[in-house]
Amino acid sequence: MNWRIKGLTQKVLSAAPGGIVLNTRMQAALGGLRNFDKAMAAKVDEWILSMKYLEAAGISVRGARILEIGTGWYPVLPICFVLAGAESVVTVDIVPHLTEAGMYRLLRTLEAHIPSIAEITGLTPAIISNRLELIVNQPNLAAILRSSGIEYRAPEDAGNIELEPNSIDIIYSNSVLEHVHRKALGDIMRESLRILKPGGIVMHNVACNDHYAHFDKSISYVNYLRYSEAKWRLWNNSLQFQNRLRASEFLQSAQDAGLEIIARRTHVSPGTHEAIRTMTIAPEFRGFSEADLVTTTIDFLARKGTGNEAS
Ligand SMILES: C[S@@+](CC[C@H](N)C(=O)[O-])C[C@H]1O[C@@H](n2cnc3c(N)ncnc32)[C@H](O)[C@@H]1O
């Protein structure tokens, strides 16, 4: 589908009553969720990558209190963290997308991933299978959440969360920060600092690329950098808002809040260097380095100080 048609359709839906639900149905029929099992397998892989980042930083999820920003439709990562032994996961979303049917569908799909979940956690497949079975056998969504130690809060803004200061070990988001306004990003980082325990960690996986390129193969992952802010407003929409912030700006916003970056990994999608060199970039982006412009995903970890750091 041509990206402009998608953009305009989402713009119309975002203004229509029931537009959010209709957009979800269209995603299931025509969009990235057409192959549900494949989409869930990709989310499990993203969780495994997150586990590797945490392991490399010497952080264990066993017994951890975790906060997820941006639950979305299918809470693969919260369920996987629970299966791995997290004490609890609070997951917040500004829009209440989660449904009971969606949760059961996801849980049934996860059965195929028991071996890989077991492998990354160091637990036996039997333990993971028993934990999953206990959750799947619950009679409804509320019971599933209760039995798994997941607290789902929606609508709730991650920039203003009802949690005690110094109460959470790990805060993470997956494919969320590229969708929040610049000011909201700062609010989220400051709120994270407040809620984290001293020494606690934030981990964000950010797809800072043009999401219209995910289904329109005729454009590059940096196509949106052609447009001035005024022109981009015509193509942007509130159902899938894209802030176009570059990788360095996500790191900077964490640092501005007082978090210390401890790890980062960036990726450049094939063809992006060629695209950026041959297109006219909007004035807003001309001050960025080429490395920053072409970065299409950034994953990073940042730590809250303990107060005992050597100065
Ligand atoms: C692209 S979805 C990603 C969902 C999920 N993390 C995943 O990987 O499938 C982004 C989600 O972030 C949520 N979101 C956006 N801004 C938010 C905010 N300020 N606070 C909480 N959730 C937010 C959206 O409503 C949406 O559900």
Side-chain angles (χ1 to χ4, degrees):
M1 184 197 274
N2 180 288
W3 70 272
R4 289 187 175 86
I5 295 174
K6 168 108 175 175
L8 287 176
T9 308
Q10 286 188 322
K11 211 172 185 93
V12 171
L13 285 177
S14 66
I20 293 180
V21 175
L22 206 55
N23 184 54
T24 302
R25 291 204 183 129
M26 281 178 69
Q27 282 293 109
L30 307 165
L33 286 174
R34 250 177 318 172
N35 188 335
F36 185 77
D37 289 353
K38 201 170 152 203
M40 294 305 109
K43 289 283 163 201
V44 173
D45 285 347
E46 286 164 14
W47 173 72
I48 289 173
L49 187 59
S50 296
M51 287 290 283
K52 289 181 179 164
Y53 290 147
L54 290 171
E55 194 185 347
I59 296 147
S60 170
V61 303
R62 287 197 199 161
R65 294 201 66 205
I66 300 180
L67 167 68
E68 180 187 57
I69 294 171
T71 321
W73 294 258
Y74 299 99
V76 176
L77 278 72
I79 294 283
C80 287
F81 277 126
V82 161
L83 295 176
E87 180 193 300
S88 60
V89 181
V90 177
T91 177
V92 300
D93 202 301
I94 205 157
V95 182
H97 293 299
L98 177 61
T99 63
E100 186 168 284
M103 180 61 109
Y104 279 112
R105 193 175 181 202
L106 152 67
L107 290 172
R108 280 192 291 273
T109 309
L110 281 184
E111 282 162 14
H113 299 281
I114 289 170
S116 51
I117 297 171
E119 192 183 340
I120 190 74
T121 56
L123 298 167
T124 63
I127 291 176
I128 300 296
S129 176
N130 288 342
R131 287 181 182 172
L132 185 57
E133 206 180 312
L134 205 74
I135 300 173
V136 178
N137 287 337
Q138 299 298 321
N140 52 47
L141 179 59
I144 287 173
L145 294 170
R146 207 173 32 250
S147 69
S148 53
I150 296 176
E151 192 183 339
Y152 175 55
R153 298 197 197 163
E156 185 157 322
D157 184 347
N160 183 16
I161 304 177
E162 279 189 37
L163 280 172
E164 292 291 309
N166 307 317
S167 60
I168 295 288
D169 298 292
I170 301 166
I171 298 178
Y172 74 90
S173 74
N174 189 52
S175 304
V176 173
L177 296 189
E178 68 272 24
H179 298 296
V180 306
H181 288 267
R182 186 186 287 277
K183 179 184 173 304
L185 179 65
D187 292 344
I188 288 171
M189 293 299 174
R190 283 186 291 277
E191 186 66 339
S192 298
L193 188 78
R194 184 186 72 79
I195 292 167
L196 277 178
K197 292 179 186 173
I201 292 290
V202 301
M203 172 174 62
H204 296 293
N205 303 337
V206 190
C208 46
N209 56 63
D210 188 341
H211 287 29
Y212 289 133
H214 295 189
F215 51 87
D216 184 342
K217 298 299 169 204
S218 72
I219 59 169
S220 79
Y221 283 94
V222 287
N223 187 59
Y224 59 7
L225 302 182
R226 293 172 191 275
Y227 299 96
S228 67
E229 198 50 42
K231 285 208 174 119
W232 179 243
R233 240 174 267 136
L234 298 174
W235 296 115
N236 211 355
N237 69 82
S238 61
L239 278 182
Q240 197 192 44
F241 175 79
Q242 301 187 62
N243 59 27
R244 304 193 295 166
L245 296 176
R246 305 322 302 146
S248 63
E249 297 180 274
F250 295 100
L251 297 176
Q252 191 61 51
S253 96
Q255 286 170 320
D256 288 347
L259 294 157
E260 182 202 355
I261 307 295
I262 58 166
R264 76 187 76 176
R265 199 193 77 157
T266 56
H267 174 72
V268 179
S269 298
T272 310
H273 274 289
E274 294 74 6
I276 213 83
R277 284 177 189 160
T278 50
M279 68 193 239
T280 306
I281 301 160
E284 287 90 332
F285 300 103
R286 289 187 196 149
F288 289 93
S289 67
E290 179 167 324
D292 216 2
L293 291 175
V294 297
T295 297
T296 45
T297 61
I298 178 160
D299 302 340
F300 66 95
L301 274 69
R303 193 190 300 274
K304 174 175 174 173
T306 57
N308 297 324
E309 290 82 4
S311 53

